[in-house]
Amino acid sequence: MARPGNGSDGPAGTTYDQGVSVGDPPPPIPGARLLFSLDPATAYLNHGSFGAVPIGVQRTQQRLRDEVERNPMSFFAHPGLTDRIVHTRRHLAHFLGADPDGSALLPNATAAVSLVLQSVRLKSGDEVLLTDHGYGANALAVRRQCRRDGASARTVALPLDATDAEVVSRIRGALRPGKTKLLIVDQLTSPTAKVLPVRAIADAARQHDIPVFVDAAHVPGMLPVRVDRLGADFWVGNLHKWAFAPRGTALLAVAPAWRRRIEPLVVSWEHDAGFPLSAEYQGTMDYSSWLAAPAGLFTLRTLGVEAVRRHNAALAAYGQRLVGASLGLAPTDLPDPGAAEAAMRIVPLPSGIATTQPEAHALRQQIADKLATEVAVNAWGGRGWLRLSAQIYNRPEEYENLAERLPPLLASLR
């Protein structure tokens, strides 16, 4: 297979020999790759799974850990610790357009799901409604809570190419007033990289007084957002993916009507203070990731939030078209995420490949081992999907190399 760039259709960009235009990649952000400590021998095209922490933010977190170890008693027992947590929470909440007094710092979006499920207090006969685009761990948490409470979980199917209006219509039709006690939707789905119209979904659910939990794990830093304008009862976003925070940093925003009803997963010394401190303070937990998170936002703002978003979205789209063309797919065969800033894209794999999650995990590992490339592979809707991310440290040639080497690897699996 010819490498991209062997042919050209002029200003529109490069083409493969089979005539599929893949366009031009965006210009790199100068010096961006030097901000990270990623192994240069590996093409890291999977920022969406665990993020990558800039070196400056790593050092900020290490200084905080050093502060702890110089005098653990002074750090953990000092009354100023909760003040530092509150200050950090306010900084992050302001960035996301959330009410800092109604938000709490948590380790990740998954922890927020369990906390909310516990606080909603399901009972026998109740149900939780999910979509088939949701994060797998959330479904596991829902099923466990439903088993404990005698409730049930139900899933509404959303076609990958559904319009926003179709998505809202399908979810509205699946709601069961009086029975559905919680609706969980993703703002940007993990397995399918699809942006859902969460504000319109929340409006539809509110007509029946059904609370909505929005899993926005990938939103902070990638997509512009004003949490206080979405109308969600619960919203959580991870800042350790696209906002350059250390791993273990998420913000859960809770609507006023629910704040007094939030029950922390672990009861600790700030329990009587109520939400949000009751959910945040957990004794000798490592708070360094939270306290270093503003350094991640400083890095993002220094680079230029909009410049980073434009670069990443354009590079992800370029990589999707490039890899798709290498598999014989036209641009119209490639799913559109539904937002111009989306920095994750998916590519359908050939029929019969990675159609189950174990097979998807195995293929991901083979791509890592044999092609020195990290990607995400998911089985969804009876088909395998390759998910590509783009971040400022990525280069066009990483996607070009994957496009050249992936087809022979897939052919060897048949």
Side-chain angles (χ1 to χ4, degrees):
M1 182 192 71
R3 287 176 61 90
N6 287 351
S8 175
D9 56 358
T14 57
T15 59
Y16 274 97
D17 286 348
Q18 59 265 46
V20 177
S21 174
V22 298
D24 293 319
I29 294 178
R33 191 170 180 86
L34 299 177
L35 299 177
F36 297 84
S37 54
L38 291 164
D39 183 356
T42 298
Y44 200 79
L45 310 183
N46 191 19
H47 188 88
S49 282
F50 300 106
V53 184
I55 295 170
V57 182
Q58 295 179 40
R59 291 173 177 168
T60 298
Q61 184 179 22
Q62 188 56 52
R63 286 194 293 270
L64 288 161
R65 287 172 170 160
D66 292 342
E67 177 188 346
V68 173
E69 298 310 326
R70 280 195 298 271
N71 189 332
M73 186 67 186
S74 175
F75 182 87
F76 287 107
H78 195 286
L81 175 58
T82 55
D83 292 338
R84 294 171 76 175
I85 293 172
V86 170
H87 176 76
T88 298
R89 182 213 310 150
R90 290 186 175 278
H91 188 97
L92 303 184
H94 176 74
F95 175 73
L96 297 169
D99 179 1
D101 295 323
S103 303
L105 293 168
L106 293 175
N108 49 45
T110 311
V113 170
S114 290
L115 184 150
V116 169
L117 286 169
Q118 174 176 280
S119 302
V120 168
R121 295 193 178 186
L122 301 170
K123 60 183 184 298
S124 180
D126 291 344
E127 73 168 21
V128 178
L129 184 64
L130 310 113
T131 79
D132 61 345
H133 294 251
Y135 188 57
N138 291 352
L140 292 174
V142 168
R143 288 199 292 269
R144 185 187 72 166
Q145 193 67 44
C146 287
R147 284 196 302 269
R148 289 177 171 178
D149 298 336
S152 61
R154 192 162 53 89
T155 301
V156 55
L158 305 175
L160 188 57
D161 60 354
T163 65
D164 285 355
E166 290 169 342
V167 167
V168 175
S169 176
R170 281 178 175 260
I171 291 177
R172 182 188 291 113
L175 296 173
R176 295 175 178 173
K179 185 176 179 65
T180 306
K181 299 301 180 181
L182 183 66
L183 167 63
I184 300 179
V185 295
D186 294 50
Q187 191 164 354
L188 173 56
T189 65
S190 179
T192 56
K194 183 177 178 66
V195 178
L196 299 182
V198 292
R199 182 173 180 175
I201 292 170
D203 288 344
R206 190 180 304 109
Q207 296 174 10
H208 302 291
D209 294 323
I210 296 173
V212 176
F213 180 103
V214 174
D215 181 350
H218 291 277
V219 169
M222 187 205 292
L223 303 181
V225 65
R226 281 294 306 267
V227 174
D228 59 0
R229 296 179 181 176
L230 295 178
D233 299 88
F234 312 98
W235 182 99
V236 64
N238 290 334
L239 287 102
H240 55 246
K241 290 182 181 285
W242 302 92
F244 295 149
R247 277 170 287 279
T249 306
L251 188 84
L252 170 67
V254 178
W258 285 96
R259 293 172 189 173
R260 291 180 177 272
R261 300 158 68 177
I262 294 296
E263 297 182 359
L265 296 174
V266 178
V267 175
S268 194
W269 290 104
E270 292 294 333
H271 182 74
D272 290 342
F275 184 83
L277 266 179
S278 62
E280 293 173 325
Y281 186 80
Q282 298 295 320
T284 53
M285 188 179 77
D286 184 357
Y287 300 99
S288 64
S289 61
W290 296 355
L291 300 181
L297 290 186
F298 176 81
T299 302
L300 182 60
R301 287 172 168 140
T302 300
L303 292 165
V305 177
E306 294 305 320
V308 169
R309 284 175 177 158
R310 286 194 301 269
H311 170 274
N312 293 347
L315 187 56
Y318 174 76
Q320 181 194 40
R321 292 192 300 267
L322 199 68
V323 175
S326 77
L327 300 178
L329 300 170
T332 53
D333 299 323
L334 304 173
D336 182 349
E341 302 89 352
M344 293 195 310
R345 300 281 183 127
I346 60 172
V347 177
L349 293 170
S351 178
I353 292 180
T355 58
T356 67
Q357 207 55 41
E359 292 174 352
H361 290 160
L363 176 58
R364 185 204 65 79
Q365 193 60 53
Q366 288 193 58
I367 294 172
D369 293 342
K370 297 180 179 180
L371 307 185
T373 302
E374 293 291 352
V375 297
V377 182
N378 291 295
W380 185 87
R383 185 166 191 172
W385 300 85
L386 180 78
R387 194 189 74 188
L388 298 171
S389 297
Q391 189 48 272
I392 57 173
Y393 51 75
N394 290 126
R395 303 185 304 267
E397 54 264 34
E398 294 175 320
Y399 303 89
E400 294 162 7
N401 289 334
L402 177 62
E404 180 179 30
R405 301 175 64 196
L406 181 61
L409 174 62
L410 297 181
S412 71
L413 302 178
R414 297 193 171 207

